[in-house]
Amino acid sequence: MDLALSADEEELRRGARRVLGERSGAKQVRAAMAREDGHDAELWRLCARELGWAGLAIGEAQGGVGMGGVALAAVLEECGRALACVPLLPTVMAATLLDVAGTAAQRAEWLPALAEGAAIGAAAVADTGGAWDVAGVGVSARLENGAWVLSGRKAGVVAGHLADVLVVAARVGKGVDLFVVPGAAPGVERRVMPTLDATRRIAEVTLNQVRLPASARLGDAGEGEAGAALERALDIVGAALAAEQLGGAERCLELSVEYAKVRVQFGRAIGSFQAIKHRCADMLVAVEAARSAAYWAGWAASHAPAELLHAGPLAMATASETFFDVAAETIQVHGGIGFTWEHEAHLYFKRARASAALLGDASWQRERLARRLGLGGQ
Amino acid sequence: MKILVTVKRVPDPEQKVKFKGTSVDVSAANWVINAFDEYAIEAALRLNENAATGEKLGETIALSIGPKDVSQQLRSALAMGADRAILVGGADEELDSFAVARIVKAVVEREKPDLLLMGKLATDGEASQVPQLCAALLDWPQATFAAQITANAEGLEVKREVDTGIEVKQVKLPAVVSVDLRIISPTAVVNGKTPATHAYQEGPRYASLKGIMAAKKKEIKEISLADLGVKAAPVTKLVSAEPPAGRKAGVKVKDVAELVSKLKNEAKVL
């Protein structure tokens, strides 16, 4: 296992930092936040259509470049640092579900548009958002004259309001299946929900008797058997989210250290006080641990499916807690200014809080890990 | 047209310069392409493409001189869209402007490009000598500090910003052109094939994923100075380098009267 970035991955990361440094600064992020859809369409066009980021981990046969999980992690880390208001993560989520659960024909039908950035994707798994758990799926699907009919409501769908392609988990009999639902399909109603994290909007997606062709059900296994695919996709997507969280945490640490060096109190830079020094040192240790976990998971996602069973939940738990803790400490290090609307600390704090719940919180991830290690649990 | 673009690696200008004794310490430098060379690559790519159809109109070759690590910067140039690259091996400390110009001349004689396109200066040394030296050694026409380039039947029309306005030069090819910052503005390069209405994005292009993947398959040809028959033999010697003196704290004045008095009697500007 080599976790150092290859020359190509490093080139990609450097390029991503430059693009986002120039195009996703504080001004652009706040402008996107102020929009109803929270979307920086121009930045998305550049990243997805021109630069091809959405196709990073998608195979060449499906229109992507197949650079794998580490390259994806490198780019998402940069997106996280910059709080880029683009639907890269949800598009990766939808593409991963399609890739893991779809048949060859379904992958060929849907993945190229996502890979090329022609379409935005979103994943609607648990009805109330959060953990990708079969138990959380209530939307129902039934076969009616050869067509699937989906009914129910999904809340907390990241970029659900923007998505051209939604991958929706629905209950079929006693199990769960995944369906591809075009955003514009008749009966699909979407509403932007008020969110804590203004840099990443979520939507409520209501499915009113949405009729889909039989081919909309992903995979050709028996009905209601998508549970295993969902588990695997969660680990892959979790590695991607962990990298994004790592980027956010890293930026918070930088902000804290920079501020501690210049803010003078009692005649000295506050960074010279042990209370601040130790906080920053602890933040660095946490960020480095999260980095190891996130990149291990990113690597395992494309090279070692067996290791991903451990690396996936570990990365999600570690990165969620690290980002949240580091963002909270960043506000403390900054003191009064850290509480203001104008300072970016709160944007990272809110992003950290929302991201930690996006795919299931840290304790739920640890429980998954414990089960896989044979340490009991359900 | 066949364009040879020179690419120098420089320590990241965003990083703080470190000193070791009386020289600049680059052991921990983060190396990047000299910004003006990146603009030259962008200008070369714009000259050599029809941006509307994607059709290629010529070959763009990136050239660098230095240790093997410089291939990283050449790889970036290839990812932006250059067709192939040449890396001439050399030790940084032996490469003064005159040595570089003689090496570039030797490569030009081998490659026979129509245009030698360069950044106006490198952001580390800021000497701004190599393009002019190359033109002299090659006995080619030169147009330096180009802010706009238009290809026409006679060669290139180059607009350069001077203190008194815009100077327009017409050069026959082959020629040496060095570029200034404004060459990366959206309509600064006109090649007669890209529609006149086309506006590029401001700045050098970003490397796309496809570009990065394609760059892996492109050639970086390594040549030694011996192959070229050139000796570096620098004619300048770095005696010492030191950081500029730090700024001293200012003086606080009590009131306007004191300020006026100081301006009058001490600074003598009133």
Side-chain angles (χ1 to χ4, degrees):
Chain A
M1 177 173 42
D2 179 7
L3 294 185
L5 297 185
S6 69
D8 297 332
E9 288 156 358
E10 182 54 34
E11 170 82 34
L12 181 67
R13 190 200 59 73
R14 232 189 356 256
R17 175 149 321 174
R18 187 181 140 216
V19 171
L20 296 170
E22 290 172 7
R23 306 295 183 98
S24 183
K27 203 171 131 200
Q28 290 102 329
V29 168
R30 283 178 191 265
M33 279 164 54
R35 278 194 284 275
E36 165 78 13
D37 63 3
H39 177 49
D40 188 339
E42 179 52 31
L43 180 62
W44 174 246
R45 191 194 55 75
L46 176 67
C47 299
R49 283 215 80 113
E50 287 188 26
L51 303 180
W53 292 356
L56 263 170
I58 297 175
E60 284 180 87
Q62 280 89 37
V65 294
M67 276 178 86
V70 173
L72 180 64
V75 166
L76 277 167
E77 183 186 338
E78 295 303 323
C79 289
R81 282 177 69 90
L83 293 172
C85 297
V86 290
L88 182 58
L89 186 73
T91 299
V92 166
M93 288 177 170
T96 305
L97 286 169
L98 275 158
D99 201 25
V100 170
T103 61
Q106 287 165 331
R107 293 206 304 270
E109 184 180 354
W110 297 102
L111 285 176
L114 293 173
E116 288 155 16
I120 294 173
V125 179
D127 285 11
T128 51
W132 283 21
D133 193 1
V134 168
V137 178
V139 163
S140 71
R142 62 176 200 283
L143 256 183
E144 213 178 86
N145 303 326
W148 287 101
V149 181
L150 267 63
S151 300
R153 181 173 300 161
K154 297 278 184 189
V157 182
V158 177
H161 56 301
L162 300 169
D164 302 294
V165 181
L166 291 138
V167 179
V168 177
R171 205 151 271 288
V172 176
K174 285 190 176 156
V176 162
D177 266 319
L178 293 163
F179 295 85
V180 185
V181 181
V188 176
E189 255 177 58
R190 302 182 284 179
R191 187 175 65 83
V192 179
M193 294 170 72
T195 42
L196 172 70
D197 173 13
T199 62
R200 176 143 62 206
R201 293 286 208 284
I202 55 174
E204 180 187 71
V205 179
T206 308
L207 304 153
N208 298 315
Q209 308 280 324
V210 176
R211 292 181 76 83
L212 303 166
S215 62
R217 188 178 76 95
L218 290 182
D220 48 14
E223 283 176 17
E225 288 180 11
L230 207 53
E231 275 272 294
R232 171 155 170 72
L234 169 58
D235 289 330
I236 298 172
V237 165
L241 173 62
E244 198 201 69
Q245 290 169 311
L246 163 68
E250 202 177 62
R251 181 70 192 131
C252 285
L253 171 61
E254 273 173 22
L255 287 171
S256 300
V257 172
E258 280 165 20
Y259 188 72
K261 282 182 187 168
V262 296
R263 171 75 169 132
V264 174
Q265 194 61 271
F266 309 112
R268 314 158 50 171
I270 60 167
S272 65
F273 296 116
Q274 282 200 335
I276 302 289
K277 247 191 241 182
H278 288 180
R279 267 183 211 268
C280 291
D282 287 344
M283 285 156 82
L284 174 70
V285 171
V287 167
E288 288 308 315
R291 172 185 308 286
S292 300
Y295 275 89
W296 180 32
W299 173 84
S302 38
H303 292 97
E307 280 187 48
L308 185 63
L309 293 175
H310 300 153
L314 177 79
M316 282 184 268
T318 313
S320 286
E321 286 185 341
T322 297
F323 189 15
F324 183 71
D325 292 346
V326 170
E329 288 287 29
T330 297
I331 293 180
Q332 299 306 320
V333 170
H334 281 77
I337 187 105
F339 281 82
T340 60
W341 173 258
E342 287 74 15
H343 198 275
E344 56 207 298
H346 74 100
L347 299 180
Y348 285 95
F349 181 72
K350 290 168 185 165
R351 170 64 79 87
R353 187 73 198 86
S355 294
L358 212 53
L359 295 171
D361 63 18
S363 47
W364 186 71
Q365 297 296 353
R366 272 196 289 269
E367 198 182 305
R368 287 177 74 224
L369 178 59
R371 261 200 314 273
R372 288 172 178 182
L373 291 168
L375 297 175
Q378 299 158 359
Chain B
M1 80 182 79
K2 185 172 176 178
I3 305 177
L4 184 69
V5 190
T6 48
V7 175
K8 183 184 183 184
R9 69 165 193 178
V10 294
D12 188 344
E14 304 279 318
Q15 271 185 331
K16 212 172 162 190
V17 181
K18 283 189 185 148
F19 289 85
K20 196 163 136 192
T22 54
S23 61
V24 177
D25 177 15
V26 291
S27 57
N30 177 25
W31 297 99
V32 297
I33 298 184
N34 170 40
F36 290 101
D37 293 343
E38 212 171 10
Y39 306 158
I41 299 166
E42 175 65 27
L45 296 172
R46 289 187 191 181
L47 278 170
N48 267 344
E49 72 184 359
N50 180 333
T53 61
E55 183 199 354
K56 269 186 40 175
L57 311 170
E59 190 183 26
T60 305
I61 309 158
L63 163 68
S64 196
I65 309 166
K68 213 174 154 57
D69 299 355
V70 183
S71 58
Q72 195 195 328
Q73 281 70 41
L74 286 174
R75 201 58 76 190
S76 300
L78 295 173
M80 282 174 74
D83 299 292
R84 61 188 170 92
I86 299 169
L87 170 55
V88 180
D92 281 334
E93 57 279 7
E94 285 193 337
L95 297 168
D96 66 357
S97 300
F98 191 51
V100 169
R102 284 183 294 113
I103 297 166
V104 172
K105 175 182 180 251
V107 175
V108 166
E109 281 165 352
R110 278 192 170 198
E111 289 290 338
K112 303 194 171 26
D114 302 300
L115 176 64
L116 174 60
L117 201 55
M118 315 176 98
K120 71 166 182 180
L121 56 78
T123 54
D124 53 357
E126 296 212 336
S128 190
Q129 293 174 333
V130 176
Q132 296 86 333
L133 285 168
C134 285
L137 293 173
L138 287 161
D139 197 21
W140 281 10
Q142 62 171 326
T144 55
F145 294 47
Q148 277 186 53
I149 301 175
T150 304
N152 54 31
E154 291 84 48
L156 299 176
E157 182 198 82
V158 174
K159 289 190 176 146
R160 49 203 308 273
E161 291 177 353
V162 293
D163 289 347
T164 47
I166 307 234
E167 189 176 83
V168 184
K169 288 201 168 187
Q170 175 72 41
V171 289
K172 287 204 177 86
L173 298 177
V176 180
V177 173
S178 76
V179 301
D180 205 341
L181 171 69
R182 244 178 274 281
I183 201 70
I184 49 162
S185 53
T187 54
V189 177
V190 178
N191 64 8
K193 296 283 185 191
T194 295
T197 50
H198 182 85
Y200 281 94
Q201 70 170 29
E202 178 88 30
R205 63 196 62 191
Y206 302 117
S208 71
L209 265 186
K210 293 224 158 79
I212 293 171
M213 298 307 276
K216 280 163 74 166
K217 297 181 186 126
K218 292 179 184 171
E219 182 198 24
I220 298 182
K221 189 174 180 185
E222 294 184 24
I223 327 181
S224 68
L225 288 177
D227 291 341
L228 282 176
V230 179
K231 277 211 170 83
V235 293
T236 52
K237 199 173 129 195
L238 178 68
V239 180
S240 76
E242 56 191 71
R247 248 176 87 178
K248 285 189 191 131
V251 180
K252 279 186 185 166
V253 291
K254 278 202 307 290
D255 49 27
V256 175
E258 190 187 341
L259 174 67
V260 172
S261 144
K262 277 185 182 291
L263 288 172
K264 211 173 203 168
N265 304 321
E266 289 177 30
K268 298 194 195 306
V269 291
L270 290 180

